[in-house]
Amino acid sequence: MNITQMSCPMPQLDFEVITLGHGSGGILTNKLLESGVFDLLKNPLLDQKHDGAIFRLDGQLAFSTDSYVISPIFFPNSNIGELAINGTVNDLSMCGAIPKYLSLSFIIEEGLTMKEFWEILVAIKFTAEKAGVQIVTGDTKVVERGKGDKIFINTSGIGVIHPKANINIKNVKTGDKIIISGHIATHGIAIMSVREGLEFETSIESDTQHLNFVIKELLDEFGNNIHLLRDPTRGGVATVLNEIARDAKLGCDIIQSQIPVLEEVEGACELLGLDPLYVANEGVFMAIVAAEVADNILKKLKSIPNFEHSACIGEVVAEHPKQVVLKSKIGGKRVVNMLVGEQLPRIC
Amino acid sequence: MNITQMSCPMPQLDFEVITLGHGSGGILTNKLLESGVFDLLKNPLLDQKHDGAIFRLDGQLAFSTDSYVISPIFFPNSNIGELAINGTVNDLSMCGAIPKYLSLSFIIEEGLTMKEFWEILVAIKFTAEKAGVQIVTGDTKVVERGKGDKIFINTSGIGVIHPKANINIKNVKTGDKIIISGHIATHGIAIMSVREGLEFETSIESDTQHLNFVIKELLDEFGNNIHLLRDPTRGGVATVLNEIARDAKLGCDIIQSQIPVLEEVEGACELLGLDPLYVANEGVFMAIVAAEVADNILKKLKSIPNFEHSACIGEVVAEHPKQVVLKSKIGGKRVVNMLVGEQLPRIC
């Protein structure tokens, strides 16, 4: 989403930066809560003024949590607020769930300006609305300068499992196709380009987006032919495939020429000495699907805006169990291992 | 709980401190996850290896979140791990819920030793078991030295509302009694004494404990005669009473001589220039209850271990709406305002 196009006028405040007192639980905390700042996120559940939110949800539930520590907190076209909503919405989606309710918890380093905080809140508001989820409970803590890094955000979320979903590593079997929903490595390179001050001919923007609607459409139509869903965030596509191979005790064969990567991202990866297979994504998912429906799934995906670049990149095989093997563009084969060490710290 | 008496042998590891790589999502993250360290928390839901946990819960649900940034992370008889479990269990309890499932998310500053992390995990394990809740999903992030402070923990939780509970600020009415479940200000003073290097004749320990079982017993017996529950953490008893008075648009009268405070805590408060009414608690709750059952609730509470010092400290009145008035030990009356600024930063 082009977060920078979303704006809301900030309420008039008599303070410009967040201080330790805003995390005290006392009058300054209440002043912050009542300043109009949090009115952005208003909804009946959040307004219950309990220590938590109360609601009813029927069916199988999914519950997920993630803390976001990305640096810098503002990056091309987006910020940590959008990432924190999309990330947890996507984790729930990967369970086969329809995300419903999110919690939102801030750990702020004193000195964060209200302008920065407001921008992040605006991104949170619009992203949650766009993804159709409600923020129903929250928490704000403040730590001293030098004991945090501007802002960390935790979002946890609850969703209802889609009635047709049966997402389970145990369903992955030989012959299953491996589908990726778009260009890989874009998020990681967008962040690196800001950090390293790189300039490319076209600006590379994070791919962060919520995946819940597209996943719902796929589950509506293809149900339990979708065996597994994963979003390749930290550690990238290579790490997710290694985890799948390890847990399914099967092999994964992938074909380099089939893997969609934006030309400028590929160029940046070469410049930075990074393999796009290990670079983080925030708006892409991988699906392991029954071979007989793979073409139809791909056709469907390609018809949905933002997923036109979906591709089948390989398949699950009985050979070389627990290993991922890449057929390179020049025809050779090599084993793709899990990411060793830390390639891009604090990418999400 | 005496956390220091709980111990588990730490698995043999070939690393002694946590580094950025342990948060990469790659091989080091997997090494940490599979080192046996997280086996401590094993349970069938956590082991699903989804991006989230999947389960069924019927009835009205409560959902709550809190990030714990307490400093120091180890304090007399307890640590941040125990606090993070009890805190969210208690927030759910204050909604009138039976806590069931917790998420657990770490933001670790690189350099935290595995020994420290292990001690915290052991506290988490035993506290969750004791409180009867399961940790079902989690996340671990690592930030650079100087960008965090050893460890921050977020726990979010889901519980099922007790069928007899009807906790709502709208139920608070004139004549209701204000009950407190034990000595106040103990947690805050325990932390301050460590920070300031104070020594008292007897060591002051944090009061952190889970309140879910006692709340369940009260709800079983007194149901909707319990109008409101709150745990006076940050900002203390004074802040909670001010919030109640403000939101109920009624007054609160409290009697200083009725408020239970340990003698050594009172002494420390005098020494440090703190008013115990503003000091944080982690194992105490306040209940606003119908006058006709107040005596029975108090009798019941006093019969339960750890709640023998419960007391009725005042009542809700029609006079001075939105104000809290204290009748002091020497007979005078004064308005008790909400905490201004930050008295004790990072107390939870």
Side-chain angles (χ1 to χ4, degrees), chain A residues 23 27 34 50 55 61 63 67 105 140-141 144 234 246 339 346, chain B residues 23 27 34 53 55 61 63 67 105 139 141 144 167 234 246 339 346:
Chain A
I27 209 163
E34 289 161 15
H50 279 288
F55 49 78
L61 305 183
F63 180 31
S67 289
S105 177
T140 303
K141 295 289 193 310
E144 306 90 329
R234 281 186 291 178
R246 178 196 63 196
L339 174 65
R346 299 183 59 193
Chain B
I27 209 163
E34 288 160 15
F55 49 78
L61 305 182
F63 181 30
S67 290
S105 177
D139 178 45
K141 294 290 194 310
E144 305 91 328
I167 307 299
R234 281 185 290 179
R246 177 195 65 195
L339 174 66
R346 298 184 57 193

PDB file of all heavy atoms in Angstrom, chain A residues 23 27 34 50 55 61 63 67 105 140-141 144 234 246 339 346, chain B residues 23 27 34 53 55 61 63 67 105 139 141 144 167 234 246 339 346:
ATOM      1  N   GLY A  23       4.768   6.467  29.778  1.00  0.00           N
ATOM      2  CA  GLY A  23       4.630   5.028  30.013  1.00  0.00           C
ATOM      3  C   GLY A  23       4.372   4.701  31.470  1.00  0.00           C
ATOM      4  O   GLY A  23       4.401   3.540  31.853  1.00  0.00           O
ATOM      5  N   ILE A  27      -0.928  10.046  34.928  1.00  0.00           N
ATOM      6  CA  ILE A  27      -1.659  11.117  34.266  1.00  0.00           C
ATOM      7  C   ILE A  27      -1.128  11.364  32.846  1.00  0.00           C
ATOM      8  O   ILE A  27      -1.900  11.639  31.928  1.00  0.00           O
ATOM      9  CB  ILE A  27      -1.628  12.402  35.139  1.00  0.00           C
ATOM     10  CG1 ILE A  27      -2.888  13.245  34.900  1.00  0.00           C
ATOM     11  CG2 ILE A  27      -0.358  13.196  34.952  1.00  0.00           C
ATOM     12  CD1 ILE A  27      -3.123  14.271  35.987  1.00  0.00           C
ATOM     13  N   GLU A  34      -5.763  10.017  25.824  1.00  0.00           N
ATOM     14  CA  GLU A  34      -6.939  10.858  25.588  1.00  0.00           C
ATOM     15  C   GLU A  34      -6.649  12.067  24.707  1.00  0.00           C
ATOM     16  O   GLU A  34      -7.506  12.916  24.506  1.00  0.00           O
ATOM     17  CB  GLU A  34      -7.520  11.316  26.933  1.00  0.00           C
ATOM     18  CG  GLU A  34      -8.190  10.164  27.660  1.00  0.00           C
ATOM     19  CD  GLU A  34      -8.355  10.423  29.144  1.00  0.00           C
ATOM     20  OE1 GLU A  34      -8.210  11.578  29.571  1.00  0.00           O
ATOM     21  OE2 GLU A  34      -8.629   9.443  29.867  1.00  0.00           O
ATOM     22  N   HIS A  50     -11.724  -2.371  29.345  1.00  0.00           N
ATOM     23  CA  HIS A  50     -11.294  -3.460  30.218  1.00  0.00           C
ATOM     24  C   HIS A  50      -9.772  -3.569  30.136  1.00  0.00           C
ATOM     25  O   HIS A  50      -9.135  -2.884  29.341  1.00  0.00           O
ATOM     26  CB  HIS A  50     -11.881  -4.789  29.710  1.00  0.00           C
ATOM     27  CG  HIS A  50     -13.288  -5.025  30.128  1.00  0.00           C
ATOM     28  ND1 HIS A  50     -13.647  -5.330  31.400  1.00  0.00           N
ATOM     29  CD2 HIS A  50     -14.434  -5.017  29.409  1.00  0.00           C
ATOM     30  CE1 HIS A  50     -14.961  -5.498  31.454  1.00  0.00           C
ATOM     31  NE2 HIS A  50     -15.464  -5.303  30.267  1.00  0.00           N
ATOM     32  N   PHE A  55     -15.084 -10.705  23.262  1.00  0.00           N
ATOM     33  CA  PHE A  55     -15.841 -10.963  22.033  1.00  0.00           C
ATOM     34  C   PHE A  55     -16.124 -12.459  21.939  1.00  0.00           C
ATOM     35  O   PHE A  55     -15.595 -13.258  22.718  1.00  0.00           O
ATOM     36  CB  PHE A  55     -15.051 -10.485  20.801  1.00  0.00           C
ATOM     37  CG  PHE A  55     -13.619 -10.970  20.789  1.00  0.00           C
ATOM     38  CD1 PHE A  55     -13.309 -12.264  20.425  1.00  0.00           C
ATOM     39  CD2 PHE A  55     -12.585 -10.121  21.184  1.00  0.00           C
ATOM     40  CE1 PHE A  55     -11.998 -12.719  20.441  1.00  0.00           C
ATOM     41  CE2 PHE A  55     -11.266 -10.572  21.206  1.00  0.00           C
ATOM     42  CZ  PHE A  55     -10.973 -11.870  20.835  1.00  0.00           C
ATOM     43  N   LEU A  61      -9.832 -21.765  15.991  1.00  0.00           N
ATOM     44  CA  LEU A  61      -9.156 -20.474  16.001  1.00  0.00           C
ATOM     45  C   LEU A  61      -7.671 -20.616  15.736  1.00  0.00           C
ATOM     46  O   LEU A  61      -7.064 -21.643  16.054  1.00  0.00           O
ATOM     47  CB  LEU A  61      -9.354 -19.797  17.361  1.00  0.00           C
ATOM     48  CG  LEU A  61     -10.794 -19.621  17.825  1.00  0.00           C
ATOM     49  CD1 LEU A  61     -10.824 -18.880  19.155  1.00  0.00           C
ATOM     50  CD2 LEU A  61     -11.605 -18.864  16.782  1.00  0.00           C
ATOM     51  N   PHE A  63      -3.984 -18.425  16.472  1.00  0.00           N
ATOM     52  CA  PHE A  63      -3.446 -17.402  17.371  1.00  0.00           C
ATOM     53  C   PHE A  63      -1.965 -17.265  17.037  1.00  0.00           C
ATOM     54  O   PHE A  63      -1.251 -18.268  16.983  1.00  0.00           O
ATOM     55  CB  PHE A  63      -3.658 -17.878  18.811  1.00  0.00           C
ATOM     56  CG  PHE A  63      -3.177 -16.961  19.912  1.00  0.00           C
ATOM     57  CD1 PHE A  63      -3.163 -15.581  19.760  1.00  0.00           C
ATOM     58  CD2 PHE A  63      -2.758 -17.498  21.127  1.00  0.00           C
ATOM     59  CE1 PHE A  63      -2.737 -14.763  20.800  1.00  0.00           C
ATOM     60  CE2 PHE A  63      -2.324 -16.680  22.165  1.00  0.00           C
ATOM     61  CZ  PHE A  63      -2.312 -15.313  22.003  1.00  0.00           C
ATOM     62  N   SER A  67       6.954  -9.789  17.050  1.00  0.00           N
ATOM     63  CA  SER A  67       7.462  -8.469  17.416  1.00  0.00           C
ATOM     64  C   SER A  67       8.240  -7.920  16.233  1.00  0.00           C
ATOM     65  O   SER A  67       8.997  -8.647  15.595  1.00  0.00           O
ATOM     66  CB  SER A  67       8.365  -8.560  18.649  1.00  0.00           C
ATOM     67  OG  SER A  67       7.589  -8.836  19.793  1.00  0.00           O
ATOM     68  N   SER A 105       1.030  -3.644  20.781  1.00  0.00           N
ATOM     69  CA  SER A 105       1.806  -3.242  21.949  1.00  0.00           C
ATOM     70  C   SER A 105       3.072  -2.518  21.507  1.00  0.00           C
ATOM     71  O   SER A 105       3.825  -3.025  20.684  1.00  0.00           O
ATOM     72  CB  SER A 105       2.139  -4.500  22.755  1.00  0.00           C
ATOM     73  OG  SER A 105       2.944  -4.190  23.855  1.00  0.00           O
ATOM     74  N   THR A 140       1.212   0.377  25.945  1.00  0.00           N
ATOM     75  CA  THR A 140       2.307   1.269  25.571  1.00  0.00           C
ATOM     76  C   THR A 140       3.322   1.345  26.700  1.00  0.00           C
ATOM     77  O   THR A 140       2.971   1.688  27.826  1.00  0.00           O
ATOM     78  CB  THR A 140       1.776   2.691  25.264  1.00  0.00           C
ATOM     79  OG1 THR A 140       0.790   2.596  24.229  1.00  0.00           O
ATOM     80  CG2 THR A 140       2.895   3.607  24.786  1.00  0.00           C
ATOM     81  N   LYS A 141       4.560   0.991  26.407  1.00  0.00           N
ATOM     82  CA  LYS A 141       5.643   1.138  27.386  1.00  0.00           C
ATOM     83  C   LYS A 141       6.675   2.108  26.813  1.00  0.00           C
ATOM     84  O   LYS A 141       6.838   2.201  25.592  1.00  0.00           O
ATOM     85  CB  LYS A 141       6.332  -0.209  27.651  1.00  0.00           C
ATOM     86  CG  LYS A 141       5.459  -1.266  28.309  1.00  0.00           C
ATOM     87  CD  LYS A 141       5.157  -0.944  29.754  1.00  0.00           C
ATOM     88  CE  LYS A 141       4.569  -2.094  30.541  1.00  0.00           C
ATOM     89  NZ  LYS A 141       3.449  -2.792  29.958  1.00  0.00           N
ATOM     90  N   GLU A 144      14.099   4.230  28.515  1.00  0.00           N
ATOM     91  CA  GLU A 144      15.034   5.350  28.454  1.00  0.00           C
ATOM     92  C   GLU A 144      15.776   5.378  27.119  1.00  0.00           C
ATOM     93  O   GLU A 144      15.959   4.356  26.480  1.00  0.00           O
ATOM     94  CB  GLU A 144      16.086   5.267  29.565  1.00  0.00           C
ATOM     95  CG  GLU A 144      15.547   5.139  30.973  1.00  0.00           C
ATOM     96  CD  GLU A 144      15.364   3.687  31.405  1.00  0.00           C
ATOM     97  OE1 GLU A 144      15.079   2.824  30.539  1.00  0.00           O
ATOM     98  OE2 GLU A 144      15.497   3.422  32.602  1.00  0.00           O
ATOM     99  N   ARG A 234      11.898 -13.542   7.337  1.00  0.00           N
ATOM    100  CA  ARG A 234      13.315 -13.709   7.724  1.00  0.00           C
ATOM    101  C   ARG A 234      13.870 -15.016   7.179  1.00  0.00           C
ATOM    102  O   ARG A 234      13.257 -16.060   7.358  1.00  0.00           O
ATOM    103  CB  ARG A 234      13.426 -13.803   9.248  1.00  0.00           C
ATOM    104  CG  ARG A 234      13.347 -12.500   9.960  1.00  0.00           C
ATOM    105  CD  ARG A 234      13.615 -12.717  11.439  1.00  0.00           C
ATOM    106  NE  ARG A 234      12.529 -13.449  12.118  1.00  0.00           N
ATOM    107  CZ  ARG A 234      12.549 -13.786  13.410  1.00  0.00           C
ATOM    108  NH1 ARG A 234      13.599 -13.497  14.155  1.00  0.00           N
ATOM    109  NH2 ARG A 234      11.528 -14.411  13.956  1.00  0.00           N
ATOM    110  N   ARG A 246      12.869 -30.521   5.659  1.00  0.00           N
ATOM    111  CA  ARG A 246      13.234 -31.166   6.927  1.00  0.00           C
ATOM    112  C   ARG A 246      12.001 -31.775   7.614  1.00  0.00           C
ATOM    113  O   ARG A 246      11.998 -32.933   8.012  1.00  0.00           O
ATOM    114  CB  ARG A 246      13.884 -30.131   7.858  1.00  0.00           C
ATOM    115  CG  ARG A 246      14.262 -30.649   9.222  1.00  0.00           C
ATOM    116  CD  ARG A 246      14.529 -29.495  10.179  1.00  0.00           C
ATOM    117  NE  ARG A 246      13.309 -28.695  10.372  1.00  0.00           N
ATOM    118  CZ  ARG A 246      13.280 -27.472  10.898  1.00  0.00           C
ATOM    119  NH1 ARG A 246      14.398 -26.888  11.270  1.00  0.00           N
ATOM    120  NH2 ARG A 246      12.133 -26.820  11.051  1.00  0.00           N
ATOM    121  N   LEU A 339      19.859 -20.482   5.680  1.00  0.00           N
ATOM    122  CA  LEU A 339      20.691 -19.305   5.913  1.00  0.00           C
ATOM    123  C   LEU A 339      21.606 -19.521   7.117  1.00  0.00           C
ATOM    124  O   LEU A 339      21.156 -19.924   8.177  1.00  0.00           O
ATOM    125  CB  LEU A 339      19.778 -18.095   6.169  1.00  0.00           C
ATOM    126  CG  LEU A 339      20.433 -16.779   6.587  1.00  0.00           C
ATOM    127  CD1 LEU A 339      21.309 -16.234   5.476  1.00  0.00           C
ATOM    128  CD2 LEU A 339      19.378 -15.754   6.956  1.00  0.00           C
ATOM    129  N   ARG A 346      17.540  -7.277  11.562  1.00  0.00           N
ATOM    130  CA  ARG A 346      16.427  -6.344  11.809  1.00  0.00           C
ATOM    131  C   ARG A 346      15.709  -5.929  10.531  1.00  0.00           C
ATOM    132  O   ARG A 346      15.480  -4.758  10.271  1.00  0.00           O
ATOM    133  CB  ARG A 346      16.920  -5.147  12.612  1.00  0.00           C
ATOM    134  CG  ARG A 346      17.447  -5.623  13.968  1.00  0.00           C
ATOM    135  CD  ARG A 346      17.869  -4.503  14.836  1.00  0.00           C
ATOM    136  NE  ARG A 346      16.755  -3.587  15.067  1.00  0.00           N
ATOM    137  CZ  ARG A 346      16.904  -2.392  15.583  1.00  0.00           C
ATOM    138  NH1 ARG A 346      18.106  -1.957  15.903  1.00  0.00           N
ATOM    139  NH2 ARG A 346      15.870  -1.638  15.796  1.00  0.00           N
TER     140      ARG A 346
ATOM    141  N   GLY B  23      18.570 -14.326  15.691  1.00  0.00           N
ATOM    142  CA  GLY B  23      17.291 -13.734  15.314  1.00  0.00           C
ATOM    143  C   GLY B  23      17.092 -13.676  13.808  1.00  0.00           C
ATOM    144  O   GLY B  23      16.146 -13.075  13.327  1.00  0.00           O
ATOM    145  N   ILE B  27      19.794 -20.573  10.083  1.00  0.00           N
ATOM    146  CA  ILE B  27      20.299 -21.776  10.724  1.00  0.00           C
ATOM    147  C   ILE B  27      20.546 -21.558  12.214  1.00  0.00           C
ATOM    148  O   ILE B  27      20.289 -22.453  13.029  1.00  0.00           O
ATOM    149  CB  ILE B  27      21.547 -22.293   9.965  1.00  0.00           C
ATOM    150  CG1 ILE B  27      21.670 -23.801  10.103  1.00  0.00           C
ATOM    151  CG2 ILE B  27      22.810 -21.584  10.407  1.00  0.00           C
ATOM    152  CD1 ILE B  27      22.605 -24.417   9.062  1.00  0.00           C
ATOM    153  N   GLU B  34      16.183 -25.583  18.345  1.00  0.00           N
ATOM    154  CA  GLU B  34      16.326 -27.031  18.480  1.00  0.00           C
ATOM    155  C   GLU B  34      17.400 -27.434  19.487  1.00  0.00           C
ATOM    156  O   GLU B  34      17.712 -28.616  19.630  1.00  0.00           O
ATOM    157  CB  GLU B  34      16.662 -27.633  17.107  1.00  0.00           C
ATOM    158  CG  GLU B  34      15.445 -27.605  16.189  1.00  0.00           C
ATOM    159  CD  GLU B  34      15.806 -27.729  14.717  1.00  0.00           C
ATOM    160  OE1 GLU B  34      16.948 -28.121  14.422  1.00  0.00           O
ATOM    161  OE2 GLU B  34      14.929 -27.441  13.890  1.00  0.00           O
ATOM    162  N   ALA B  53      -0.805 -20.961  16.460  1.00  0.00           N
ATOM    163  CA  ALA B  53      -1.396 -22.140  17.096  1.00  0.00           C
ATOM    164  C   ALA B  53      -2.859 -22.252  16.686  1.00  0.00           C
ATOM    165  O   ALA B  53      -3.511 -21.244  16.426  1.00  0.00           O
ATOM    166  CB  ALA B  53      -1.305 -22.011  18.608  1.00  0.00           C
ATOM    167  N   PHE B  55      -6.623 -23.995  17.699  1.00  0.00           N
ATOM    168  CA  PHE B  55      -7.379 -24.640  18.779  1.00  0.00           C
ATOM    169  C   PHE B  55      -8.827 -24.176  18.700  1.00  0.00           C
ATOM    170  O   PHE B  55      -9.162 -23.266  17.936  1.00  0.00           O
ATOM    171  CB  PHE B  55      -6.773 -24.290  20.148  1.00  0.00           C
ATOM    172  CG  PHE B  55      -6.521 -22.815  20.327  1.00  0.00           C
ATOM    173  CD1 PHE B  55      -7.571 -21.948  20.619  1.00  0.00           C
ATOM    174  CD2 PHE B  55      -5.249 -22.278  20.164  1.00  0.00           C
ATOM    175  CE1 PHE B  55      -7.348 -20.587  20.765  1.00  0.00           C
ATOM    176  CE2 PHE B  55      -5.024 -20.902  20.300  1.00  0.00           C
ATOM    177  CZ  PHE B  55      -6.072 -20.072  20.598  1.00  0.00           C
ATOM    178  N   LEU B  61     -14.891 -14.735  24.673  1.00  0.00           N
ATOM    179  CA  LEU B  61     -13.439 -14.766  24.877  1.00  0.00           C
ATOM    180  C   LEU B  61     -12.917 -13.409  25.350  1.00  0.00           C
ATOM    181  O   LEU B  61     -13.495 -12.368  25.026  1.00  0.00           O
ATOM    182  CB  LEU B  61     -12.740 -15.137  23.574  1.00  0.00           C
ATOM    183  CG  LEU B  61     -13.185 -16.446  22.922  1.00  0.00           C
ATOM    184  CD1 LEU B  61     -12.374 -16.713  21.669  1.00  0.00           C
ATOM    185  CD2 LEU B  61     -13.058 -17.602  23.911  1.00  0.00           C
ATOM    186  N   PHE B  63      -9.178 -11.193  25.352  1.00  0.00           N
ATOM    187  CA  PHE B  63      -7.904 -11.135  24.632  1.00  0.00           C
ATOM    188  C   PHE B  63      -7.146  -9.933  25.187  1.00  0.00           C
ATOM    189  O   PHE B  63      -7.698  -8.830  25.261  1.00  0.00           O
ATOM    190  CB  PHE B  63      -8.210 -10.954  23.136  1.00  0.00           C
ATOM    191  CG  PHE B  63      -7.025 -10.884  22.211  1.00  0.00           C
ATOM    192  CD1 PHE B  63      -5.837 -11.541  22.475  1.00  0.00           C
ATOM    193  CD2 PHE B  63      -7.119 -10.148  21.023  1.00  0.00           C
ATOM    194  CE1 PHE B  63      -4.765 -11.474  21.591  1.00  0.00           C
ATOM    195  CE2 PHE B  63      -6.058 -10.078  20.133  1.00  0.00           C
ATOM    196  CZ  PHE B  63      -4.879 -10.744  20.422  1.00  0.00           C
ATOM    197  N   SER B  67       3.542  -5.749  27.125  1.00  0.00           N
ATOM    198  CA  SER B  67       4.985  -5.901  26.954  1.00  0.00           C
ATOM    199  C   SER B  67       5.651  -5.592  28.284  1.00  0.00           C
ATOM    200  O   SER B  67       5.271  -4.639  28.972  1.00  0.00           O
ATOM    201  CB  SER B  67       5.502  -4.964  25.869  1.00  0.00           C
ATOM    202  OG  SER B  67       5.059  -5.400  24.603  1.00  0.00           O
ATOM    203  N   SER B 105       6.704 -13.549  23.128  1.00  0.00           N
ATOM    204  CA  SER B 105       7.577 -12.958  22.119  1.00  0.00           C
ATOM    205  C   SER B 105       8.734 -12.240  22.804  1.00  0.00           C
ATOM    206  O   SER B 105       8.529 -11.418  23.686  1.00  0.00           O
ATOM    207  CB  SER B 105       6.743 -11.986  21.274  1.00  0.00           C
ATOM    208  OG  SER B 105       7.540 -11.338  20.333  1.00  0.00           O
ATOM    209  N   ASP B 139       7.802 -16.019  19.311  1.00  0.00           N
ATOM    210  CA  ASP B 139       8.652 -15.303  18.355  1.00  0.00           C
ATOM    211  C   ASP B 139       9.898 -14.835  19.098  1.00  0.00           C
ATOM    212  O   ASP B 139       9.830 -14.485  20.274  1.00  0.00           O
ATOM    213  CB  ASP B 139       7.876 -14.081  17.813  1.00  0.00           C
ATOM    214  CG  ASP B 139       8.679 -13.235  16.840  1.00  0.00           C
ATOM    215  OD1 ASP B 139       9.323 -13.817  15.953  1.00  0.00           O
ATOM    216  OD2 ASP B 139       8.653 -11.996  16.966  1.00  0.00           O
ATOM    217  N   LYS B 141      13.206 -12.196  18.496  1.00  0.00           N
ATOM    218  CA  LYS B 141      13.973 -11.233  17.713  1.00  0.00           C
ATOM    219  C   LYS B 141      15.222 -10.849  18.502  1.00  0.00           C
ATOM    220  O   LYS B 141      15.202 -10.866  19.739  1.00  0.00           O
ATOM    221  CB  LYS B 141      13.139  -9.967  17.445  1.00  0.00           C
ATOM    222  CG  LYS B 141      11.920 -10.177  16.559  1.00  0.00           C
ATOM    223  CD  LYS B 141      12.281 -10.464  15.123  1.00  0.00           C
ATOM    224  CE  LYS B 141      11.126 -10.338  14.162  1.00  0.00           C
ATOM    225  NZ  LYS B 141       9.903 -11.027  14.510  1.00  0.00           N
ATOM    226  N   GLU B 144      20.777  -5.234  18.094  1.00  0.00           N
ATOM    227  CA  GLU B 144      22.178  -4.966  18.391  1.00  0.00           C
ATOM    228  C   GLU B 144      22.353  -4.447  19.819  1.00  0.00           C
ATOM    229  O   GLU B 144      21.450  -3.857  20.385  1.00  0.00           O
ATOM    230  CB  GLU B 144      22.753  -3.906  17.431  1.00  0.00           C
ATOM    231  CG  GLU B 144      22.604  -4.205  15.965  1.00  0.00           C
ATOM    232  CD  GLU B 144      21.314  -3.626  15.386  1.00  0.00           C
ATOM    233  OE1 GLU B 144      20.288  -3.552  16.121  1.00  0.00           O
ATOM    234  OE2 GLU B 144      21.317  -3.270  14.205  1.00  0.00           O
ATOM    235  N   ILE B 167     -18.352  -8.221  34.448  1.00  0.00           N
ATOM    236  CA  ILE B 167     -17.425  -7.173  34.893  1.00  0.00           C
ATOM    237  C   ILE B 167     -17.590  -5.994  33.959  1.00  0.00           C
ATOM    238  O   ILE B 167     -17.338  -6.109  32.761  1.00  0.00           O
ATOM    239  CB  ILE B 167     -15.966  -7.692  34.791  1.00  0.00           C
ATOM    240  CG1 ILE B 167     -15.783  -9.017  35.529  1.00  0.00           C
ATOM    241  CG2 ILE B 167     -14.976  -6.633  35.258  1.00  0.00           C
ATOM    242  CD1 ILE B 167     -16.064  -8.943  37.001  1.00  0.00           C
ATOM    243  N   ARG B 234       1.133  -0.461  37.074  1.00  0.00           N
ATOM    244  CA  ARG B 234       1.695   0.892  36.894  1.00  0.00           C
ATOM    245  C   ARG B 234       0.732   1.961  37.396  1.00  0.00           C
ATOM    246  O   ARG B 234      -0.435   1.934  37.044  1.00  0.00           O
ATOM    247  CB  ARG B 234       1.896   1.167  35.392  1.00  0.00           C
ATOM    248  CG  ARG B 234       3.091   0.568  34.805  1.00  0.00           C
ATOM    249  CD  ARG B 234       3.213   1.026  33.353  1.00  0.00           C
ATOM    250  NE  ARG B 234       2.190   0.462  32.468  1.00  0.00           N
ATOM    251  CZ  ARG B 234       2.095   0.732  31.171  1.00  0.00           C
ATOM    252  NH1 ARG B 234       2.949   1.568  30.612  1.00  0.00           N
ATOM    253  NH2 ARG B 234       1.159   0.176  30.426  1.00  0.00           N
ATOM    254  N   ARG B 246     -13.495   8.415  37.370  1.00  0.00           N
ATOM    255  CA  ARG B 246     -13.701   9.156  36.116  1.00  0.00           C
ATOM    256  C   ARG B 246     -14.708   8.433  35.207  1.00  0.00           C
ATOM    257  O   ARG B 246     -15.654   9.027  34.707  1.00  0.00           O
ATOM    258  CB  ARG B 246     -12.359   9.299  35.402  1.00  0.00           C
ATOM    259  CG  ARG B 246     -12.434   9.985  34.051  1.00  0.00           C
ATOM    260  CD  ARG B 246     -11.145   9.746  33.267  1.00  0.00           C
ATOM    261  NE  ARG B 246     -10.998   8.324  32.965  1.00  0.00           N
ATOM    262  CZ  ARG B 246      -9.866   7.745  32.545  1.00  0.00           C
ATOM    263  NH1 ARG B 246      -8.770   8.468  32.425  1.00  0.00           N
ATOM    264  NH2 ARG B 246      -9.816   6.454  32.283  1.00  0.00           N
ATOM    265  N   LEU B 339      -1.465   9.697  39.265  1.00  0.00           N
ATOM    266  CA  LEU B 339      -0.009   9.874  39.259  1.00  0.00           C
ATOM    267  C   LEU B 339       0.397  10.885  38.187  1.00  0.00           C
ATOM    268  O   LEU B 339       0.009  10.777  37.034  1.00  0.00           O
ATOM    269  CB  LEU B 339       0.647   8.520  38.972  1.00  0.00           C
ATOM    270  CG  LEU B 339       2.163   8.491  38.775  1.00  0.00           C
ATOM    271  CD1 LEU B 339       2.880   8.869  40.056  1.00  0.00           C
ATOM    272  CD2 LEU B 339       2.608   7.097  38.342  1.00  0.00           C
ATOM    273  N   ARG B 346       9.846   1.813  34.301  1.00  0.00           N
ATOM    274  CA  ARG B 346      10.164   0.413  33.968  1.00  0.00           C
ATOM    275  C   ARG B 346      10.008  -0.523  35.149  1.00  0.00           C
ATOM    276  O   ARG B 346      10.880  -1.311  35.470  1.00  0.00           O
ATOM    277  CB  ARG B 346      11.563   0.348  33.347  1.00  0.00           C
ATOM    278  CG  ARG B 346      11.600   1.145  32.056  1.00  0.00           C
ATOM    279  CD  ARG B 346      12.891   1.047  31.358  1.00  0.00           C
ATOM    280  NE  ARG B 346      13.211  -0.345  31.074  1.00  0.00           N
ATOM    281  CZ  ARG B 346      14.408  -0.744  30.676  1.00  0.00           C
ATOM    282  NH1 ARG B 346      15.374   0.135  30.543  1.00  0.00           N
ATOM    283  NH2 ARG B 346      14.625  -1.995  30.416  1.00  0.00           N
TER     284      ARG B 346
END
